[in-house]
Amino acid sequence: MLDPRIKLRHIACFLEVARLKSVAKAAALIGITQPAVSKTLQELEHLLGTALFDRSRRSLVLTASGEIFLRYAAVGVTALRQGVHSIASASSGSVLVTVGALPTVSARILPRAVERFAAQGLSARARIVTGPNAYLLSLLRLGDVDFVVGRMAEPEAMIGFAFEHLYSERVALVVRAGHPLLAHDPFDIAMIENYQVVMPPPGSVIRPIVERLLIANGIGRLRDEVETVSDAFGRGFTRSSDAVWIISEGVVAEDVADGILATLPVDTAETLGPVGLTSRVDTSLTLPAQALLQSIRDVAAKRR
């Protein structure tokens, strides 16, 4: 039997610290003091009889026992959340489907998919959460989103998840219409070093892909680099300046088609990567979630 001394507050506190890798950040999110978070973790470790975190490093890292406990604790809390949501949905008559999506999908796939989903007349509504891939997967692991749509993560980040390929997408280098670089023929990618370059930040799913592309073309560290995961900032900054934006092509496809932005003539075939649906292998989707997922499949199939 479960030790009755282990409370939901112990589990919730552990999950937030594991997700954020910081007692301070977890305390701010939960709304209690850092000493209270530390005490709660120590109580849980005492009850379990093992250390869950390696505290010898600068940031908190899970021990082997912590990794195992995270897997089962996340499943338990997810199941509990689903039960609570089911009761709330039954009372309100509306089911909430929460989707985590990278900006490339939010811009091109999801608007049409949500429109198709809404047209089915289900007693359900969609909520779209965007952000870096690692953040979205952490939400999925904790059950805060039903599934994630985006690029496939590295193998070590996919433990406990299933990935369904929808289509492949490459990275593009884009500038504003009328940019000086568009007048160069032939074009050399090294020319971008003379301009500000908007890059995905470290930790984003396409950052390693972009770095490999630049290194393969003889470009080391850029002299004037701006890092962001915000497609709104990237779009606005690129349109109003001479910056070069390196981003997944799906984010800027409509801007390029409308002539607002233009793609630089760079061979980015090697950056082609899979985009698809990531879901948990230990939970089942609700019928409305499956309906939205199918709408996403249908829209994605038309863009291949």
CSV table of all heavy atoms in Angstrom, one decimal, residues 184-206:
chain,number,residue,atom,x,y,z
A,184,HIS,N,22.6,40.2,-54.6
A,184,HIS,CA,23.9,39.5,-54.9
A,184,HIS,C,23.6,38.3,-55.7
A,184,HIS,O,22.9,37.4,-55.3
A,184,HIS,CB,24.6,39.2,-53.6
A,184,HIS,CG,25.1,40.4,-52.9
A,184,HIS,ND1,26.4,40.9,-53.1
A,184,HIS,CD2,24.6,41.2,-51.9
A,184,HIS,CE1,26.6,41.9,-52.4
A,184,HIS,NE2,25.6,42.1,-51.6
A,185,ASP,N,24.3,38.2,-56.8
A,185,ASP,CA,24.2,37.0,-57.7
A,185,ASP,C,25.6,36.8,-58.3
A,185,ASP,O,26.1,37.6,-59.1
A,185,ASP,CB,23.2,37.2,-58.8
A,185,ASP,CG,23.0,35.9,-59.6
A,185,ASP,OD1,23.4,34.8,-59.1
A,185,ASP,OD2,22.4,36.1,-60.7
A,186,PRO,N,26.4,35.7,-57.9
A,186,PRO,CA,25.9,34.7,-57.0
A,186,PRO,C,25.9,35.1,-55.5
A,186,PRO,O,26.5,36.0,-55.2
A,186,PRO,CB,27.0,33.6,-57.3
A,186,PRO,CG,28.2,34.3,-57.6
A,186,PRO,CD,27.7,35.5,-58.4
A,187,PHE,N,25.1,34.3,-54.8
A,187,PHE,CA,25.0,34.6,-53.3
A,187,PHE,C,25.9,33.7,-52.5
A,187,PHE,O,26.0,32.5,-52.8
A,187,PHE,CB,23.6,34.4,-52.9
A,187,PHE,CG,23.4,34.6,-51.4
A,187,PHE,CD1,23.3,35.9,-50.8
A,187,PHE,CD2,23.3,33.5,-50.5
A,187,PHE,CE1,23.2,36.0,-49.5
A,187,PHE,CE2,23.1,33.7,-49.2
A,187,PHE,CZ,23.0,34.9,-48.6
A,188,ASP,N,26.6,34.2,-51.5
A,188,ASP,CA,27.4,33.4,-50.6
A,188,ASP,C,26.9,33.5,-49.2
A,188,ASP,O,26.7,34.7,-48.7
A,188,ASP,CB,28.9,33.9,-50.7
A,188,ASP,CG,29.8,33.1,-49.8
A,188,ASP,OD1,29.3,32.2,-49.1
A,188,ASP,OD2,31.0,33.3,-50.0
A,189,ILE,N,26.6,32.4,-48.6
A,189,ILE,CA,26.0,32.4,-47.2
A,189,ILE,C,26.8,33.2,-46.2
A,189,ILE,O,26.4,33.7,-45.3
A,189,ILE,CB,25.7,31.0,-46.7
A,189,ILE,CG1,24.8,31.1,-45.5
A,189,ILE,CG2,27.0,30.2,-46.5
A,189,ILE,CD1,24.4,29.7,-44.9
A,190,ALA,N,28.2,33.3,-46.5
A,190,ALA,CA,29.1,34.0,-45.6
A,190,ALA,C,28.7,35.5,-45.5
A,190,ALA,O,29.1,36.1,-44.5
A,190,ALA,CB,30.5,33.8,-46.0
A,191,MET,N,28.0,36.0,-46.4
A,191,MET,CA,27.6,37.4,-46.4
A,191,MET,C,26.7,37.7,-45.2
A,191,MET,O,26.6,38.9,-44.9
A,191,MET,CB,26.9,37.7,-47.7
A,191,MET,CG,27.7,37.6,-49.0
A,191,MET,SD,26.7,37.9,-50.5
A,191,MET,CE,27.9,37.7,-51.8
A,192,ILE,N,26.0,36.7,-44.7
A,192,ILE,CA,25.1,37.0,-43.5
A,192,ILE,C,25.9,37.5,-42.3
A,192,ILE,O,25.3,38.1,-41.4
A,192,ILE,CB,24.2,35.8,-43.2
A,192,ILE,CG1,25.0,34.7,-42.5
A,192,ILE,CG2,23.5,35.3,-44.4
A,192,ILE,CD1,24.2,33.6,-41.9
A,193,GLU,N,27.2,37.3,-42.3
A,193,GLU,CA,28.0,37.7,-41.1
A,193,GLU,C,28.1,39.2,-41.0
A,193,GLU,O,28.5,39.7,-40.0
A,193,GLU,CB,29.4,37.1,-41.2
A,193,GLU,CG,29.4,35.6,-41.1
A,193,GLU,CD,30.8,35.0,-41.0
A,193,GLU,OE1,31.5,34.8,-42.1
A,193,GLU,OE2,31.3,34.8,-39.9
A,194,ASN,N,27.7,39.9,-42.1
A,194,ASN,CA,27.8,41.4,-42.0
A,194,ASN,C,26.5,42.0,-41.5
A,194,ASN,O,26.3,43.2,-41.4
A,194,ASN,CB,28.0,41.9,-43.5
A,194,ASN,CG,29.4,41.5,-44.0
A,194,ASN,OD1,30.4,41.5,-43.3
A,194,ASN,ND2,29.4,41.1,-45.3
A,195,TYR,N,25.5,41.1,-41.1
A,195,TYR,CA,24.2,41.6,-40.6
A,195,TYR,C,23.9,40.9,-39.3
A,195,TYR,O,24.5,39.9,-38.9
A,195,TYR,CB,23.1,41.2,-41.7
A,195,TYR,CG,23.4,41.9,-43.0
A,195,TYR,CD1,24.1,41.3,-44.0
A,195,TYR,CD2,22.8,43.1,-43.3
A,195,TYR,CE1,24.4,41.9,-45.2
A,195,TYR,CE2,23.0,43.8,-44.5
A,195,TYR,CZ,23.8,43.1,-45.5
A,195,TYR,OH,24.0,43.8,-46.7
A,196,GLN,N,22.9,41.5,-38.6
A,196,GLN,CA,22.4,40.9,-37.4
A,196,GLN,C,21.7,39.6,-37.9
A,196,GLN,O,21.0,39.6,-38.9
A,196,GLN,CB,21.4,41.8,-36.7
A,196,GLN,CG,22.1,42.8,-35.8
A,196,GLN,CD,21.0,43.6,-35.0
A,196,GLN,OE1,20.1,44.1,-35.5
A,196,GLN,NE2,21.3,43.6,-33.7
A,197,VAL,N,21.8,38.5,-37.1
A,197,VAL,CA,21.2,37.2,-37.4
A,197,VAL,C,20.3,36.8,-36.3
A,197,VAL,O,20.8,36.7,-35.1
A,197,VAL,CB,22.2,36.1,-37.7
A,197,VAL,CG1,21.5,34.8,-38.0
A,197,VAL,CG2,23.1,36.6,-38.9
A,198,VAL,N,19.0,36.6,-36.6
A,198,VAL,CA,18.1,36.1,-35.5
A,198,VAL,C,18.1,34.6,-35.5
A,198,VAL,O,17.8,34.0,-36.5
A,198,VAL,CB,16.6,36.6,-35.8
A,198,VAL,CG1,15.7,36.2,-34.7
A,198,VAL,CG2,16.6,38.2,-36.0
A,199,MET,N,18.5,34.1,-34.4
A,199,MET,CA,18.7,32.6,-34.2
A,199,MET,C,17.8,32.0,-33.2
A,199,MET,O,17.4,32.7,-32.2
A,199,MET,CB,20.2,32.4,-33.8
A,199,MET,CG,21.2,32.7,-34.9
A,199,MET,SD,21.5,31.2,-35.8
A,199,MET,CE,22.4,30.2,-34.6
A,200,PRO,N,17.5,30.7,-33.3
A,200,PRO,CA,16.8,30.0,-32.3
A,200,PRO,C,17.8,29.8,-31.1
A,200,PRO,O,19.0,29.6,-31.3
A,200,PRO,CB,16.5,28.6,-32.9
A,200,PRO,CG,17.5,28.5,-34.0
A,200,PRO,CD,17.8,29.8,-34.5
A,201,PRO,N,17.4,30.0,-29.9
A,201,PRO,CA,18.3,29.9,-28.7
A,201,PRO,C,18.8,28.5,-28.4
A,201,PRO,O,18.2,27.5,-28.9
A,201,PRO,CB,17.5,30.5,-27.6
A,201,PRO,CG,16.1,30.1,-27.9
A,201,PRO,CD,16.0,30.2,-29.4
A,202,PRO,N,19.9,28.4,-27.6
A,202,PRO,CA,20.3,27.0,-27.2
A,202,PRO,C,19.2,26.3,-26.5
A,202,PRO,O,18.4,27.0,-25.7
A,202,PRO,CB,21.5,27.4,-26.2
A,202,PRO,CG,22.0,28.7,-26.7
A,202,PRO,CD,20.8,29.4,-27.2
A,203,GLY,N,19.0,25.1,-26.7
A,203,GLY,CA,17.9,24.3,-26.1
A,203,GLY,C,16.7,24.2,-27.0
A,203,GLY,O,15.9,23.3,-26.8
A,204,SER,N,16.6,25.0,-28.0
A,204,SER,CA,15.5,24.9,-29.0
A,204,SER,C,15.8,23.7,-29.9
A,204,SER,O,17.0,23.4,-30.2
A,204,SER,CB,15.3,26.2,-29.8
A,204,SER,OG,16.4,26.5,-30.5
A,205,VAL,N,14.8,23.1,-30.4
A,205,VAL,CA,14.9,21.8,-31.2
A,205,VAL,C,15.7,22.0,-32.5
A,205,VAL,O,16.4,21.1,-32.9
A,205,VAL,CB,13.6,21.2,-31.4
A,205,VAL,CG1,12.8,21.9,-32.4
A,205,VAL,CG2,13.7,19.7,-31.8
A,206,ILE,N,15.7,23.2,-33.1
A,206,ILE,CA,16.4,23.4,-34.4
A,206,ILE,C,17.7,24.0,-34.2
A,206,ILE,O,18.5,24.2,-35.2
A,206,ILE,CB,15.5,24.1,-35.4
A,206,ILE,CG1,15.3,25.6,-35.0
A,206,ILE,CG2,14.2,23.4,-35.7
A,206,ILE,CD1,14.7,26.5,-36.1
